[in-house]
Amino acid sequence: MNKAIILKNRPIGKPQLSDFKFSNEEIPKITENEILLKIKFVSVDPYLRGRMSDAKSYVEPFKLGEPVASGCIAEVMESKNESFKKGDFVSGLLKWKEFQVSDGKQLLKIDDSELPLSAHLGVLGMTGLTAYFGLMEIGKPKEGETIVVSGAAGAVGSVVGQIGKILGCRVVGIAGTDEKVALLKSKFGFDEAINYNTTKKMTQEIAALCPDGVDVYFDNVGGTISDSVHENINRFGRIVVCGAISTYNDTSLPIGPRVQGFLIKQSVLMQGFIVGNYAEMFPEGIEYLSTWLKEGKLTFTETVVEGFDAIPKAFIELFEGKNKGKMIVKV
Ligand code: NDP
């Protein structure tokens, strides 16, 4: 049989397991130019929360009653398409279905000769590219500057901090547990890190760990954590608005300090972005990230959850901070 995970309800607040249901279908047959894929690794990502609601956004919402889709790695089981053969591995946007048919367009052939296949969903995939382009194209850090990263121990944040160190910056991370704080310093080379769950005076703590102020803030979380970083931004600082996970489950519009005042007074640039804005430059990003990986300047970690049935749970756990590095489901 062929299991699929269907979006049953649009989540209200934090997503629940009951928002998803499993269905069983026949394994599909392929025709000319098609390939049959079996899912191997599934990327669960915070942005999927946005697609589960029907609010207007930069991508279409998922349809109720249909399978959810995300970045996945699959194995070619059968092929009637001359570009693919049985046993090839591909990555691309695929449905949460054990088996599916594809015409191969939009899929990228990958191999595990240098890195595990799952790295193509993280450090060499969407989250690594988000870190690279957000930091380089908007943050534009200069040697000796101070970068603060929120969501620092996650897939995007851990790469941002390491690129900051490669560029010769002071890097301070913000994350949700002492274990993550230790990991940031020991594995990813951050100069300092803050546990936002146990630090009472965030603004003062950031000031203490950034004695020269904050030149670049790479924001993955938004909310009150970001309010405290904003208070420490230097003149001509850059705020890279990558994500706002702390507000994704809000049911009303979050209200906080108005930002115009400090943006004007400090001449600060604050810019949001979507990684897809840089699609034409992806080969450049992959080239830099792979070179740093080969040179041992960049490393990565994954939290791997096992089994197709665990996909919804792994997705929900992103909002509980259960992952260190990239959250991956191994089917
Ligand atoms: P992560 O691997 O960072 O996983 C999510 C992490 O967010 C959790 O581990 C948790 O860590 C933290 N978190 C969860 N809830 C809260 C909260 N209420 N307050 C503060 N932190 C919280 O995810 P990604 O690296 O994949 O994504 C990071 C951010 O970047 C997300 O906001 C995502 O939407 C965004 N993004 C944007 C892209 C773009 O194109 N603009 C592309 C990819 C991602 P902790 O224990 O530290 O709380």
Side-chain angles (χ1 to χ4, degrees), residues 95-113:
K95 291 182 180 140
W96 289 0
K97 264 180 167 193
E98 286 174 304
F99 295 91
Q100 58 204 285
V101 169
S102 165
D103 60 9
K105 291 178 190 157
Q106 317 287 341
L107 293 179
L108 193 68
K109 260 202 250 182
I110 56 167
D111 64 50
D112 61 356
S113 57

Side-chain angles (χ1 to χ4, degrees), residues 45-47 126-127 130 151 154-157 174-177 180 196 220-221 225 242-246 248 273-275 318-323 325:
D45 300 275
Y47 82 89
M126 192 267 284
T127 55
T130 300
V156 174
I174 303 175
T177 65
K180 290 186 182 184
Y196 70 85
N220 284 312
V221 306
I225 294 172
C242 174
I245 190 168
S246 76
Y248 290 174
F273 76 105
I274 298 301
V275 62
L318 289 168
F319 299 93
E320 299 164 355
K322 293 276 170 67
N323 60 307

Side-chain angles (χ1 to χ4, degrees), residues 118-119 122-123 127 153-155 158-159 162 183 187-188 293 298-304 323-328:
S118 55
V123 65
T127 55
S158 56
V159 176
Q162 293 179 84
L183 184 78
K187 184 172 171 93
F188 298 120
L293 282 162
L298 184 63
T299 183
F300 63 99
T301 191
E302 296 173 338
T303 296
V304 181
N323 60 307
K324 293 192 274 297
K326 183 77 194 91
M327 184 74 115
I328 301 272

